[in-house]
Amino acid sequence: AEGQDWPVSEALPAEARQFDFWVGEWDVDLRIRQDDLTWADEVRSVASIYPILRGKAVLELWSDAREDGIKGYSLRYFDTARDEWVLWLNWPGPDRSGSSSLAGTFRHGRGEFFSRADASVSRYTFSDIGPNSLRWDDAFSQDGGATWTNNWIMEFTRRADRAWLVAGEPAPTFHTGERCSAPPFRSYEFLAGRQEGQVEVGGSGPVTITGHRVLDGCAVLTFAGAEGDPETAYAFSHWTWNTYAERFELTTLTSGANTPVRMFYGSVGASGETDLVLIEQVDGTRVADRFRVARADDGRVTWVHETPEGGGWRAVWQATVQPVEGR
């Protein structure tokens, strides 16, 4: 990715560029540990890695060559308040979806990222990084990191310098859309495609929102900006039905240099099946902001980000858009 050709905000810290090497399209050999402790090449996949939000983050769509095989998504960005990389992932199974996260740093050209739950620790490692190859492996510990077990190794070989998400065309990881076929997964599919309109609160002027169905029907990704393309968008979102919590889940990230991921959870609103209302929670309890997406009978979609005020809600950003046919 040296000499990259995507826009990068000058406000971003230098650390935000540490995953630039990964941008592009990759052939992946997934090696799995066998019972005799040897490693065998078992799955061939393609990983498509996109720069998004003016270089703020990178987006991964990972697709097993088999239609019913492994599909994965990740979003990763450098969190300036935490001084580390934060990774959000969703690797769904049939009618099973929900996000998890890891965090970590690069040191001496090696990236290590961890998630912890009491004594259970997961570690993802990026190493052996070159212009056209790299290695990713997982590790798990049940004793707080004293001992580790590895199950997977992914060996990447570059096939192209860039990968592209095009509105109206199938995105990587999407086939028939039947992996997640339960009714809640259909509730936000109207966000797919290209929608154009105007910002009404929190700014002014035209806005384009493009949505892409991914993970074979388990999620929708959206980008909001002047053109709605991933590279220059100022807002990103990942929509899914979290089957573990049995509620809708929204992951949002904006292009601001110091803004973190925000997580919203919720249900279908009182006005009907096309009105999604999701509440941000801090520390799992305190209500912070609210996110609403409502579709009118004529197809217009209103996006509203609200904050509590005086016992009610005040919009801090709002836009109304109309689907654009054939784009």
Side-chain angles (χ1 to χ4, degrees):
E2 227 173 85
Q4 86 292 330
D5 59 354
W6 61 88
V8 176
S9 169
E10 294 182 356
L12 294 172
E15 291 88 346
R17 313 301 307 283
Q18 290 174 319
F19 260 111
D20 281 5
F21 69 86
W22 205 27
V23 169
E25 197 168 73
W26 303 80
D27 291 309
V28 186
D29 286 332
L30 172 55
R31 308 181 69 203
I32 298 178
R33 193 182 67 166
Q34 307 300 299
D35 291 340
D36 63 0
L37 303 183
T38 61
W39 295 85
D41 294 342
E42 291 197 3
V43 179
R44 292 189 177 274
S45 306
V46 174
S48 301
I49 315 299
Y50 310 88
I52 67 173
L53 303 177
R54 298 190 64 82
K56 167 73 172 285
V58 291
L59 166 70
E60 170 194 19
L61 291 175
W62 195 97
S63 190
D64 183 331
R66 302 166 298 175
E67 186 171 299
D68 61 349
I70 305 167
K71 311 299 174 193
Y73 140 90
S74 77
L75 171 73
R76 51 197 71 197
Y77 72 102
F78 188 79
D79 189 309
T80 54
R82 296 170 55 166
D83 198 30
E84 62 183 353
W85 280 86
V86 175
L87 286 55
W88 284 91
L89 310 97
N90 185 10
W91 292 65
D95 279 329
R96 177 175 55 81
S97 181
S99 297
S100 59
S101 67
L102 302 92
T105 59
F106 281 89
R107 179 178 170 83
H108 301 308
R110 176 186 177 95
E112 290 189 327
F113 310 94
F114 299 87
S115 67
R116 304 176 186 272
D118 299 321
S120 178
V121 186
S122 300
R123 181 184 70 202
Y124 290 176
T125 302
F126 280 76
S127 61
D128 303 332
I129 299 169
N132 297 304
S133 61
L134 62 101
R135 170 183 166 131
W136 174 96
D137 63 74
D138 72 356
F140 301 93
S141 174
Q142 298 299 326
D143 54 15
T147 60
W148 295 91
T149 300
N150 293 77
N151 294 321
W152 287 12
I153 296 172
M154 293 189 196
E155 295 176 331
F156 289 70
T157 303
R158 185 181 295 279
R159 64 155 59 182
D161 288 337
R162 289 298 304 273
W164 305 95
L165 276 173
V166 179
E169 296 184 6
T173 72
F174 187 83
H175 297 285
T176 64
E178 295 302 315
R179 171 166 301 213
C180 292
S181 57
F185 290 102
R186 307 283 83 88
S187 297
Y188 47 78
E189 287 185 347
F190 68 91
L191 301 176
R194 184 180 179 93
Q195 305 172 27
E196 297 177 353
Q198 296 288 318
V199 177
E200 300 159 338
V201 177
S204 61
V207 62
T208 297
I209 301 176
T210 56
H212 306 266
R213 296 181 70 191
V214 296
L215 302 177
D216 209 17
C218 298
V220 169
L221 308 180
T222 67
F223 301 89
E227 298 296 330
D229 61 275
E231 292 88 353
T232 62
Y234 51 70
F236 163 85
S237 66
H238 167 269
W239 298 80
T240 193
W241 171 250
N242 188 312
T243 55
Y244 307 98
E246 295 188 336
R247 55 186 181 171
F248 291 102
E249 174 190 280
L250 168 63
T251 308
T252 67
L253 183 67
T254 66
S255 59
N258 301 312
T259 56
V261 152
R262 303 179 72 170
M263 299 294 295
F264 296 78
Y265 300 93
S267 60
V268 171
S271 64
E273 293 185 357
T274 59
D275 188 358
L276 295 171
V277 181
L278 300 103
I279 303 294
E280 181 185 29
Q281 291 186 334
V282 178
D283 300 327
T285 56
R286 181 169 63 85
V287 171
D289 286 3
R290 182 170 76 170
F291 208 99
R292 291 190 297 115
V293 176
R295 181 169 56 168
D297 291 340
D298 63 1
R300 288 180 302 144
V301 179
T302 300
W303 298 64
V304 189
H305 184 172
E306 300 170 303
T307 194
E309 185 176 278
W313 296 93
R314 175 178 60 85
V316 294
W317 189 86
Q318 179 173 320
T320 299
V321 293
Q322 182 82 34
V324 179
E325 298 295 333
R327 296 183 65 183

